[in-house]
Amino acid sequence: IVLTQSPDTLSLSPGERATLSCRASHSINTYLAWYQQKPGQAPRLLIYEASNRATGIPARFSGSGSGTDFTLTISSLESEDFAVYFCQQRRTWPLTFGGGTKIEIK
Amino acid sequence: EVQLVQSGGGLVQPGGSLRLSCAGSGLSVSGNYMSWVRQAPGKGLEWVSVIYRGGGTQHADSVKGRFTISRDDSRNTLYLQMDSLRTEDAAVYYCASHLVEGLTTYNFFDSWGQGTLVSVSS
């Protein structure tokens, strides 16, 4: 299953709302996760099963969607949120990731 | 606190071999599904291999027959034996544990090692 993320880059200011998209080539129900990765660090799990926040993840992060179209929303960007975000599906093997969306400071 | 501490990696010639290690603390490597995920420089993430609680394994087609995932329960350590390395295997390799919520294990990754760089070049 191919996951396509858009846009490649999002230029936003702190306090603004970020909306990231992940589209699957086939239906994956709600079997999708979102990760955040900062330079030189391992990814961090944010959202699983499309809309469940992982332990310790702030409420400003939310996920939605099912089937083939998914969205990660950051309601109000904090300075530490500028990073790269990946989606990942668990519907079929091999597990696959999207190409990533970078949120950069405008 | 869960910690996965990786070691191994480095520079190897094409066709060579390397073994990566991932020592767990705060979690049981044998009691969890564990995977290796890699990331080529400046690129996205690619799942590589998984080992299940029962010891069964699965590998991505790109590494099948060349890489072997295993674990040593007495050392609480996960391994990735990489043979017949190719230039396209060059990446940062992460070990990761699969998410457990209640009695359900999900094929998502909630704890990660720090990553180890594998370079393949002559």
Side-chain angles (χ1 to χ4, degrees):
Chain A
I1 290 178
V2 176
L3 299 178
T4 303
Q5 291 187 241
S6 60
D8 292 336
T9 304
L10 214 44
S11 297
L12 295 169
S13 300
E16 288 193 293
R17 182 184 191 89
T19 304
L20 288 67
S21 173
C22 178
R23 178 162 290 179
S25 59
H26 298 81
S27 175
I28 57 171
N29 201 326
T30 57
Y31 302 150
L32 188 97
W34 291 93
Y35 299 85
Q36 176 193 69
Q37 188 178 34
K38 296 179 181 179
Q41 295 185 17
R44 178 173 72 144
L45 179 66
L46 301 174
I47 302 286
Y48 67 97
E49 297 297 76
S51 61
N52 296 310
R53 270 190 304 277
T55 302
I57 301 304
R60 65 181 182 272
F61 291 92
S62 63
S64 63
S66 66
T68 60
D69 291 300
F70 300 86
T71 301
L72 174 69
T73 301
I74 309 172
S75 60
S76 178
L77 283 165
E78 305 265 345
S79 57
E80 61 265 30
D81 300 336
F82 292 91
V84 180
Y85 293 81
F86 295 96
C87 55
Q88 179 234 322
Q89 65 82 24
R90 70 169 185 89
R91 174 64 180 80
T92 62
W93 294 92
L95 307 178
T96 52
F97 293 84
T101 290
K102 180 180 180 179
I103 301 180
E104 65 176 22
I105 301 176
K106 186 174 181 180
Chain B
E1 180 196 6
V2 173
Q3 275 200 312
L4 298 171
V5 179
Q6 298 182 225
S7 58
L11 175 63
V12 63
Q13 292 187 338
S17 297
L18 217 49
R19 189 178 81 158
L20 307 182
S21 300
C22 170
S25 62
L27 97 162
S28 167
V29 168
S30 63
N32 284 271
Y33 291 11
M34 300 291 297
S35 278
W36 290 94
V37 176
R38 68 184 180 183
Q39 186 171 34
K43 301 295 185 183
L45 298 161
E46 180 187 14
W47 169 80
V48 174
S49 303
V50 63
I51 186 166
Y52 300 107
R53 276 188 295 271
T57 64
Q58 239 177 294
H59 300 274
D61 285 346
S62 58
V63 306
K64 203 171 289 183
R66 301 187 299 121
F67 289 14
T68 304
I69 187 173
S70 65
R71 67 186 187 220
D72 184 331
D73 296 351
S74 66
R75 296 179 184 271
N76 203 34
T77 298
L78 177 74
Y79 301 101
L80 185 67
Q81 177 67 41
M82 302 185 293
D83 298 320
S84 303
L85 280 159
R86 304 168 180 168
T87 54
E88 57 263 35
D89 296 319
V92 173
Y93 284 73
Y94 296 99
C95 60
S97 62
H98 290 226
L99 173 69
V100 176
E101 287 288 338
L103 298 178
T104 303
T105 297
Y106 296 91
N107 291 321
F108 301 130
F109 312 110
D110 68 334
S111 293
W112 296 70
Q114 81 276 20
T116 188
L117 179 62
V118 171
S119 300
V120 184
S121 174
S122 53

